[in-house]
């Protein structure tokens, strides 16, 4: 039995996700919903969680004189409520403070012993802020590409991993003063010793998108350096190594292991505590990871390297779906400059399903995408309303008007060439949609779903069943029957993206719960002719054509209100 692990990169809990961040969590939800129909609910897990350790939260807590966990408790709950409102359903949305996670990380890292070496490292300390400056807390010029705003762990421009001591002209990110460097012992994970295995895996895994493979291979060709696993911060998972009692684990090393610990936690809660192994060690497992391209290095190098070094046969990632950047009206999202829309604001502007559709239509699968309100109005009015909504309305109205709300009978002897061609086209498009979902190309799947809707609308315009019924009720019935076939396939394939609206279409068709069906059913079975179906109920509404001009004002009004409801850490 095929098992499917769906994972989205753990969002950092100290900021409300913006559209570009929630896109990864939404993509995972879409994938998991598809996979459940295709492979069976019990064979799919969707895991993620809050990444809650790290220096920013430690500093914030110190400033407020509270425990870091009291801040992350609230923020974690708040994020979960946002994901609920977006209809994002996880099997388990865990957190890095979970006991299961902490225990798993500590025991996992202890088993990497032969790959770990202890070395002196020069690390920056700010004598003004009185804090060690790990990772994002030190900035400077990238020694590889010259980018002036590189961080201590990674350069945002060229994506390479960095060390604080390799930055040119380093500065404390809090006070901008030059740090002093002191020596301390750190525990390093020796990436170079798995270099060959990694290269082989990257070259032989055909499911990796090109951007992931090329980027990761180019880093390997430059030679991988040991990465330090430990940090001198207090807020984090205590390092399990002997003599490292004062240290904590670098957030990325532990958060990546969260995919496994969250699976363990999920099945333990289900009372089926060994079942996670059939996903992580089974011979027939597919895994999908949803993330932004800035996280490629962690998922295509660090995570597989750790899994390889564990000496156990963990399944390595198959599909690393790393998207390019999403821009907002041509600019990068920026909290301080208030550029963008945040995930708790969005549902107050438009219904969540509109957002799900908009984000998947704007998913940057091959190149950066630019979210604009002008384009959003077009997508909602012409694609969601005209292509999809109208098709359902037209067909159900015809069934009501000419067939007394009963599904017509298919008279095979009365099919003409157009009818036959359309009937052949349905499974063809469905196959394309299935392939898109299999490859985690969700935007492409949405295009093929729209092709299906347009096929239906074009077919009705061509055949005009309201005219032909005057001459032949059988022929008109055939056209309507075929149009109903299209709607059924469209609703099922749209379900991962628009779960509620697709269910409404199923309800109108009298078909019951979508989740009870199998992905292949919609093309393998006939319609129950003679069965009564429901009347059409409106699915979507059009936006006013100048909505794009009014939205900023609307946004500034709701923004104040939303901000008062955010927990302390997220204000
Ligand atoms: Zn760089
Ligand atoms: Zn400082």
């Amino acid at each position: 039995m095929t098992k499917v692990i769906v994972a989205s990169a753990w969002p950092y809990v100290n900021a409300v996700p913006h559209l570009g961040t929630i896109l990864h969590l939404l993509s995972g939800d879409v994938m998991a919903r598809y996979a459940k129909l295709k492979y069976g609910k019990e064979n799919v897990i969707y895991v993620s969680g809050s990444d809650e350790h790290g220096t920013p939260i430690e500093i914030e807590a110190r400033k407020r004189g509270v425990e870091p966990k009291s801040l992350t408790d609230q923020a974690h709950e708040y994020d979960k409520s946002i994901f609920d409102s977006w209809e994002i359903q996880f099997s388990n949305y865990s957190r890095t403070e979970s006991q299961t996670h902490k225990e798993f990380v500590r025991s996992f890292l202890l088993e990497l012993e032969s790959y770990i070496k202890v070395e002196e490292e020069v690390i920056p300390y700010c004598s003004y802020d009185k804090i060690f400056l790990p990772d994002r807390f030190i900035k400077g010029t990238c020694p590889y590409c010259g980018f002036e705003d590189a961080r201590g762990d990674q350069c945002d421009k060229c994506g390479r991993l960095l060390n604080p001591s390799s930055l040119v002209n380093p500065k404390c990110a809090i006070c901008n003063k030059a740090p002093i460097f002191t020596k301390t012992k750190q525990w390093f994970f020796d990436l170079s010793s798995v270099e060959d295995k990694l290269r082989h895996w990257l070259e032989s895994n055909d499911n990796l998108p090109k951007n992931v493979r090329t980027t990761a291979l180019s880093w390997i060709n430059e030679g991988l350096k040991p990465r330090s696993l430990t940090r001198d911060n207090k807020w984090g998972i205590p390092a399990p190594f002997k003599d490292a009692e004062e240290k904590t684990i670098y957030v990325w090393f532990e958060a990546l292991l969260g995919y496994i610990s969250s699976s363990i936690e999920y099945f333990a809660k289900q009372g089926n505590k060994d079942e996670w192994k059939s996903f992580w060690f089974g011979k027939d497992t597919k895994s999908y990871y949803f993330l932004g391209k800035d996280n490629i290095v962690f998922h295509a190098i660090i995570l597989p390297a750790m899994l390889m070094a564990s000496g156990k046969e963990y399944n390595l990632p198959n599909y690393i779906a790393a998207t390019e950047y999403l821009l907002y009206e041509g600019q990068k999202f920026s909290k301080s400059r208030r550029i963008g829309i945040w995930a708790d604001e969005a549902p107050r502007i438009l219904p969540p399903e509109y957002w799900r559709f908009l984000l998947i239509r704007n998913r940057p699968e091959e190149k950066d995408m630019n979210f604009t309100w002008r384009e959003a109005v077009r997508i909602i009015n012409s694609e969601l309303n005209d292509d999809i909504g109208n098709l359902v309305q037209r067909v159900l109205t015809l069934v009501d008007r000419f067939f007394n709300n009963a599904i017509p009978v298919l008279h095979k002897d009365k099919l003409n060439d157009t009818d036959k061609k359309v009937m052949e086209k349905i499974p063809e498009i469905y196959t394309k949609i299935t392939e898109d979902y299999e490859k985690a190309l969700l935007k492409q799947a949405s295009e093929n779903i729209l092709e299906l809707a347009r096929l239906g609308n074009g077919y009705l315009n061509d055949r005009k069943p309201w005219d032909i019924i005057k001459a032949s009720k059988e022929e008109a019935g055939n056209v309507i029957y075929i149009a109903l076939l299209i709607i059924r396939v469209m609703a099922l394939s749209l379900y991962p993206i628009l779960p509620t609206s697709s269910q409404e279409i199923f309800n109108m068709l009298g078909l019951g719960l979508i989740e009870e069906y199998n992905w292949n059913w919609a093309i393998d079975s006939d319609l129950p002719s003679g069965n009564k179906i429901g009347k059409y109920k409106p699915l979507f509404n059009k936006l006013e054509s100048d909505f794009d001009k009014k939205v900023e004002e609307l946004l500034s009004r709701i923004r104040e209100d939303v901000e008062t409801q955010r927990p302390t850490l997220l204000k």
Side-chain angles (χ1 to χ4, degrees), residues 48-68:
S48 189
S50 291
D51 174 4
E52 53 188 321
H53 295 136
T55 324
I57 291 167
E58 189 173 339
I59 291 177
E60 190 63 31
R62 203 169 58 179
K63 217 159 64 184
R64 295 174 184 275
V66 295
E67 285 301 313

Side-chain angles (χ1 to χ4, degrees), residues 5-17:
I5 301 169
V6 183
S8 49
W10 290 37
Y12 197 39
V13 78
N14 83 331
V16 178

Side-chain angles (χ1 to χ4, degrees), residues 53 96-107 236-238:
H53 295 136
T96 52
E97 266 295 290
S98 117
Q99 205 50 42
T100 308
H101 177 70
K102 291 198 261 189
E103 281 164 19
F104 178 75
V105 168
R106 285 169 57 92
S107 68
I237 299 184

Side-chain angles (χ1 to χ4, degrees), residues 297-562:
V297 67
F298 300 107
H299 292 81
I301 305 262
I302 307 267
L303 175 63
M306 284 197 287
L307 298 179
M308 285 168 182
S310 74
K312 297 187 175 154
E313 301 284 308
Y314 279 103
N315 286 313
L316 303 175
N318 296 133
Y319 295 85
I320 300 180
T323 44
E324 304 293 310
Y325 292 126
L326 180 69
L327 302 175
Y328 180 79
E329 299 284 356
Q331 292 179 283
K332 270 190 167 181
F333 283 82
S334 162
K335 190 182 174 191
S336 55
R337 291 163 58 219
R338 298 232 167 171
I339 295 167
I341 307 267
W342 276 260
D344 53 353
E345 300 168 348
R348 300 202 188 193
I349 306 171
L350 293 172
E353 295 235 315
Y354 288 33
W355 283 109
R356 292 175 65 104
F357 195 70
L358 285 173
L359 284 193
I360 296 299
R361 297 294 295 130
N362 276 295
R363 190 162 182 268
E365 288 176 0
E366 281 174 358
K367 52 177 175 41
D368 290 351
M369 292 289 286
N370 183 18
F371 179 95
T372 66
W373 277 106
R374 223 194 135 106
E375 175 66 0
V377 171
R378 188 197 67 77
I379 290 172
I380 286 167
N381 289 356
S382 101
E383 297 182 346
L384 204 54
N385 276 276
D386 291 349
D387 293 336
I388 296 170
N390 272 5
L391 177 66
V392 180
Q393 178 174 21
R394 293 172 82 185
V395 178
L396 292 195
T397 310
L398 288 167
V399 180
D400 182 20
R401 200 165 132 207
F402 298 122
F403 290 89
N404 198 21
N405 268 330
I407 298 174
V409 176
L410 183 71
H411 295 271
K412 288 192 176 147
D413 52 326
K414 298 260 165 66
L415 292 169
N416 79 2
D417 283 351
T418 311
D419 302 334
K420 286 182 195 154
K421 233 184 251 162
V422 169
M423 282 184 85
E424 279 167 21
K425 200 88 187 138
I426 301 171
E428 264 175 45
I429 301 178
Y430 200 54
T431 305
K432 282 202 275 175
I433 296 171
T434 309
E435 285 168 4
D436 295 338
Y437 277 128
E438 284 292 318
K439 291 183 198 150
L441 296 172
L442 312 180
K443 174 178 193 288
Q444 205 165 296
S446 72
E447 304 213 343
N448 283 314
I449 295 168
L450 285 166
E451 194 191 328
L452 203 54
R454 287 168 195 149
L455 174 76
N457 281 312
Y459 175 56
L460 290 178
N461 297 347
D462 257 18
R463 291 284 276 143
K464 301 187 177 54
W466 50 90
D467 280 346
I468 51 180
I469 195 150
K470 292 166 201 158
S472 163
K473 192 164 183 179
E474 278 106 3
E475 263 196 60
N478 279 352
V479 176
I480 293 170
Y481 181 98
I482 294 168
L484 281 168
L485 283 179
I486 295 179
I487 291 180
R488 184 176 69 168
V489 172
M490 181 183 79
L492 192 75
S493 49
L494 200 54
Y495 163 78
I497 303 171
L498 301 180
T500 301
S501 307
S502 304
Q503 183 57 57
E504 278 170 21
I505 300 176
F506 260 53
N507 293 346
M508 290 184 228
L509 296 175
L511 290 171
L513 277 182
I514 293 191
E515 288 170 27
E516 315 262 298
Y517 287 94
N518 176 274
W519 184 255
N520 297 329
W521 158 83
I523 43 166
D524 288 348
S525 67
D526 297 330
L527 290 171
S529 298
N531 274 19
K532 288 271 182 190
I533 61 173
K535 282 196 195 295
Y536 174 75
K537 281 187 221 115
L539 288 164
F540 314 108
N541 286 305
K542 284 199 177 187
L543 298 176
E544 291 164 58
S545 58
D546 62 346
F547 188 80
D548 56 324
K549 300 194 179 69
K550 296 181 194 155
V551 72
E552 281 304 326
E553 195 212 313
L554 175 65
L555 193 58
S556 61
R557 252 184 293 137
I558 63 155
R559 196 156 262 176
E560 275 176 41
D561 187 36
V562 170

Side-chain angles (χ1 to χ4, degrees), residues 61-98:
R62 203 169 58 179
K63 217 159 64 184
R64 295 174 184 275
V66 295
E67 285 301 313
K69 188 162 179 296
S70 71
L71 295 175
T72 59
D73 280 348
Q74 291 176 343
H76 173 69
E77 289 306 319
Y78 188 75
D79 275 0
K80 283 211 305 197
S81 71
I82 297 176
F83 305 144
D84 280 347
S85 74
W86 277 71
E87 302 182 68
I88 295 173
Q89 287 178 350
F90 299 97
S91 307
N92 191 29
Y93 192 78
S94 188
R95 53 191 295 185
T96 52
E97 266 295 290
S98 117

